[in-house]
Amino acid sequence: MDISSKDLHVAILSSPGMGHLIPVLVLANRLAASHKIKVTVLLVTTGVALPESNLLKLPLDQSLVEFIELPPVDISHLVGPSTQVVTQLCIMVREALPLLHSAIASMDRRPDALFVDPFGTEALPIAAEFNMAKYVYVPSTAWFTALTVYCPVLDKEIQGQFVDQQEHLKIPGCKVVRPEDVVDPMLDRNDQQYNEYIKIGKQIPLFDGILLNTWEELEPKTLQAFKENHILSSLVNFPIYPIGPLTRPIEPAGSDPDLIQWLDKQPNESVIFVSFGSGGMLSAQQIIELAWGLELSQQRFVWVIRPPTKGRVDDAFFNVGNGSDDNPDYLPDGFLTRIRDVGKLVPMWAQQVKILSHPSIGGFMSHCGWNSTLESITSDVPIIAWPLYAEQRLNATLLTKELGVAVRPKVLPTKEVVGREEIEKMVRTIMEGKEGVVMRDNVKKLKIGAMNAHENNGSSYKSMCELVMDIIVRKGDIIGV
Ligand SMILES: O=c1ccn([C@@H]2O[C@H](COP(=O)(O)OP(=O)(O)O[C@H]3O[C@H](CO)[C@@H](O)[C@H](O)[C@H]3O)[C@@H](O)[C@H]2O)c(=O)[nH]1
């Protein structure tokens, strides 16, 4: 019996958070649409509504993509007010593992492979029990992944906090990491999220391969380092599948037709879009500086606005779906009247891809979540990099220092307030300065490279075919053909 991709069933486990679910849905779509694979997406839920009801309609081929929301997990007895997001995510998925087990056990057609995101690596024994091939899907860069799998080595080599190191962190074969760019879980080695992160780094290499939402031409050096086994030196031929960029399609006609009509009336590349992902929030003082900076720049803008955070900058991560903000009384006096003709505020959540891909958008002030970054690149839009949490400082450094498609503030926005003059300057730089023209040119070249990667002979297309072939071979081994 010959097995083809049409005979395959893949289950994908998504941890909570829009930044995790969206890339999983997009991957599910791709497997179904291009390879006719049946896909079941299993989402770990927390009882909070998703901010976008249309999201689940994303699959192009509803007959091949099934979506299962696992029953909500309650972790309130396991966390406190100071528990960090990464720790919460790991606990949520851990608590959901028995639910995942029952969901798979009750499937009529047992999946041939289980994909998990980095927070789902503890599902490994479930994949083994059900004879499934197992892969980790990291919806981010190869650089971040290298840091994650190499962190257990750095843990042994380096004394003291990573952020206090005088020298850059070295990962064999890869670009160095500046101490100030380390991911959030590496900021404090005494916090539980550091231990969770180390555990993830140790577990990833136990899978059958890693899928990355990047492409060969974007990160050649780091991908080469993986292939030549510099990073995972204990393993021979550990497969890496750079299958990106996978980005969500433009949202269907939706909630804010007035905004799109307004954008239709603006000149090409004249509007800056300001949004900090699904979880990003700013302090009260930073919101005031940002409002002034936008106003002083005299550029048109669309700003996804949320109330000031009372605590952390990632405070909206688990509950953005619950909020509303119709009364932004924290903005400077008279701001709304003064910006009436040039600025639009969208409370809490916007149709980001629809906005970014609109011809009138000429810049994106972004927290540099990797989905937002890819959406910006594939819409030809240069970036003001405003990293807040997770691996976003690494992404901002990649965008500014290596790819030349972004500017960023001199200070880290999580440490100091970025002043209105600097904001004004950055906005003008990308919207009307010479540097902005260069960045726009660079981003257009990146977009062409990204599109080529998905062509029939493109690197990501080939990588995806190799992945599908790997699942077929493993299924063949199991059923003995
Ligand atoms: O108003 C909004 C805000 C966000 N989005 C969408 O939500 C997603 C947000 O994803 P991302 O930009 O990656 O940010 P986060 O939600 O913060 O994502 C988390 O997950 C990413 C993938 O692992 C990491 O790169 C980030 O750092 C991490 O914070 C994107 O598709 C956006 O288009 C909207 O559609 N409307």
Side-chain angles (χ1 to χ4, degrees):
M1 177 189 131
D2 277 347
I3 305 170
S4 85
S5 62
K6 289 184 193 149
D7 302 311
L8 297 181
H9 178 194
V10 167
I12 314 184
L13 178 68
S14 171
S15 58
M18 295 298 278
H20 304 157
L21 175 59
I22 288 171
V24 159
L25 289 174
V26 177
L27 172 63
N29 260 339
R30 181 57 64 104
L31 291 167
S34 305
H35 300 273
K36 301 290 167 237
I37 295 175
K38 172 166 171 53
V39 186
T40 303
V41 172
L42 299 123
L43 173 66
V44 176
T45 65
T46 56
V48 174
L50 296 172
E52 237 183 286
S53 54
N54 269 336
L55 190 66
L56 303 183
K57 297 198 185 114
L58 192 87
L60 303 170
D61 192 337
Q62 302 270 350
S63 64
L64 282 177
V65 181
E66 191 184 344
F67 187 80
I68 299 177
E69 287 188 62
L70 297 173
V73 287
D74 176 12
I75 62 160
S76 52
H77 58 296
L78 298 170
V79 296
S82 61
T83 310
Q84 303 288 343
V85 165
V86 166
T87 306
Q88 292 191 49
L89 281 165
C90 291
I91 295 176
M92 282 168 185
V93 178
R94 199 166 289 142
E95 292 295 298
L97 289 179
L99 305 168
L100 173 70
H101 187 280
S102 332
I104 292 177
S106 64
M107 284 179 191
D108 293 336
R109 186 174 160 195
R110 209 46 77 70
D112 304 296
L114 178 67
F115 295 5
V116 298
D117 65 30
F119 303 103
T121 52
E122 287 183 27
L124 192 78
I126 297 181
E129 181 185 332
F130 290 112
N131 269 330
M132 297 152 83
K134 44 203 183 302
Y135 305 87
V136 182
Y137 176 36
V138 184
S140 187
T141 63
W143 196 23
F144 159 67
T145 310
L147 180 61
T148 305
V149 296
Y150 200 68
C151 195
V153 180
L154 295 175
D155 181 57
K156 295 206 178 81
E157 282 176 353
I158 292 179
Q159 303 289 317
Q161 296 290 0
F162 294 109
V163 273
D164 296 336
Q165 300 304 308
Q166 298 302 315
E167 299 201 351
H168 293 163
L169 308 179
K170 295 188 189 68
I171 308 172
C174 287
K175 292 170 299 199
V176 293
V177 174
R178 303 185 312 168
E180 63 267 37
D181 283 346
V182 293
V183 296
D184 268 12
M186 289 174 74
L187 290 175
D188 180 2
R189 295 174 79 167
N190 301 316
D191 193 285
Q192 192 186 342
Q193 68 169 346
Y194 178 68
N195 298 329
E196 299 283 3
Y197 184 66
I198 293 282
K199 208 190 246 183
I200 292 170
K202 286 182 180 164
Q203 279 167 339
I204 287 178
L206 305 177
F207 280 69
D208 295 324
I210 310 176
L211 287 61
L212 299 170
N213 200 0
T214 187
W215 60 106
E216 284 285 347
E217 297 72 16
L218 190 80
E219 296 192 90
K221 184 172 174 182
T222 312
L223 289 169
Q224 196 57 28
F226 268 112
K227 283 187 194 143
E228 290 175 0
N229 259 340
H230 292 306
I231 306 167
L232 296 162
S233 51
S234 58
L235 294 159
V236 184
N237 288 333
F238 185 81
I240 297 285
Y241 301 100
I243 53 168
L246 294 180
T247 52
R248 60 188 305 197
I250 296 176
E251 299 90 338
S255 51
D256 206 346
D258 292 350
L259 176 67
I260 302 300
Q261 276 169 19
W262 182 80
L263 287 172
D264 288 343
K265 292 190 198 124
Q266 310 309 316
N268 273 0
E269 298 176 347
S270 70
V271 181
I272 179 153
F273 178 51
V274 181
S275 177
F276 301 102
S278 54
M281 295 182 83
L282 305 179
S283 67
Q285 200 187 349
Q286 185 62 81
I287 290 178
I288 288 180
E289 291 304 306
L290 179 51
W292 275 113
L294 289 170
E295 189 178 338
L296 290 169
S297 76
Q298 298 183 322
Q299 304 295 314
R300 299 172 178 84
F301 63 88
V302 173
W303 180 5
V304 182
I305 188 138
R306 294 179 184 149
T309 174
K310 294 192 181 73
R312 298 195 299 239
V313 289
D314 55 6
D315 254 1
F317 195 81
F318 291 116
N319 54 21
V320 69
N322 270 356
S324 69
D325 187 23
D326 297 330
N327 179 28
D329 55 0
Y330 43 80
L331 291 166
D333 282 346
F335 177 74
L336 293 177
T337 314
R338 292 194 301 275
I339 56 100
R340 200 175 37 214
D341 297 330
V342 291
K344 291 279 170 199
L345 302 186
V346 182
M348 303 307 287
W349 188 263
Q351 294 195 305
Q352 178 163 309
V353 178
K354 191 167 213 151
I355 295 170
L356 271 179
S357 59
H358 194 284
S360 68
I361 297 294
F364 182 18
M365 182 182 286
S366 168
H367 74 320
C368 300
W370 193 240
N371 298 295
S372 294
T373 301
L374 294 180
E375 288 158 11
S376 204
I377 291 175
T378 51
S379 306
D380 286 338
V381 176
I383 296 170
I384 295 177
W386 192 290
L388 291 176
Y389 53 96
E391 90 297 21
Q392 293 151 17
R393 289 175 291 271
L394 274 184
N395 299 347
T397 296
L398 180 75
L399 293 170
T400 47
K401 292 209 178 295
E402 201 172 321
L403 303 175
V405 297
V407 285
R408 74 189 282 184
K410 289 196 182 67
V411 296
L412 270 180
T414 40
K415 285 207 164 152
E416 284 174 52
V417 173
V418 185
R420 60 190 75 176
E421 292 82 13
E422 189 174 12
I423 295 170
E424 174 195 354
K425 191 166 162 234
M426 289 191 297
V427 174
R428 285 186 189 275
T429 300
I430 62 161
M431 298 305 283
E432 50 178 31
K434 280 193 196 134
E435 274 177 70
V437 175
V438 176
M439 284 188 272
R440 202 173 305 283
D441 211 37
N442 289 343
V443 83
K444 284 184 176 155
K445 286 185 194 135
L446 279 188
K447 180 187 174 173
I448 293 171
M451 284 163 58
N452 289 342
H454 284 302
E455 294 291 316
N456 268 356
N457 255 331
S459 58
S460 294
Y461 177 80
K462 283 195 205 153
S463 222
M464 188 67 116
C465 292
E466 282 164 19
L467 166 69
V468 172
M469 189 45 75
D470 194 57
I471 307 174
I472 290 176
V473 169
R474 287 174 193 279
K475 178 175 170 121
D477 286 348
I478 286 165
I479 62 175
V481 292

